[in-house]
Amino acid sequence: MKKIICVMIIGTLLICTFFAGCGKAEDGKVSDTNSNQNSGTNSSSNAGQTENNVESMITDASEKLSSGMSEASTDLGTAVSDVSNNLTNNNDR
């Protein structure tokens, strides 16, 4: 009896999900949210501005990466020196 009830509940859930997918279809119209009237001239100037922004961001990222690598190298050198000194001091005891 429990199996029959479980099968009926599962069947009902499957039918409900099937009918949940049914609905009023969209008419297929796409609305343009871009309010530019002169899309040809604006798109070329926007492309140039976007290119400049990307170049600026790449330059900034490169400078930050270089600075970070320099700091990491300095920190690593200091850490290696400290470890070397500690090992030397421990071996002398």
Side-chain angles (χ1 to χ4, degrees):
M1 186 69 176
K2 290 181 183 180
K3 288 182 181 181
I4 293 173
I5 293 173
C6 287
V7 169
M8 290 178 67
I9 291 173
I10 292 172
T12 304
L13 290 174
L14 288 173
I15 290 172
C16 289
T17 54
F18 174 75
F19 284 119
C22 298
K24 183 179 178 182
E26 297 292 325
D27 58 357
K29 293 181 182 178
V30 178
S31 63
D32 185 18
T33 59
N34 191 358
S35 62
N36 290 338
Q37 296 294 328
N38 299 325
S39 61
T41 57
N42 287 340
S43 64
S44 64
S45 64
N46 288 342
Q49 185 179 11
T50 302
E51 183 178 335
N52 290 338
N53 289 343
V54 170
E55 288 176 1
S56 173
M57 290 177 6
I58 289 173
T59 303
D60 290 344
S62 176
E63 289 172 357
K64 288 179 182 178
L65 181 63
S66 177
S67 173
M69 292 297 290
S70 176
E71 288 179 23
S73 175
T74 302
D75 291 345
L76 183 61
T78 303
V80 167
S81 176
D82 289 346
V83 168
S84 176
N85 289 338
N86 287 338
L87 288 175
T88 303
N89 291 339
N90 286 338
N91 286 337
D92 290 341
R93 291 184 184 179

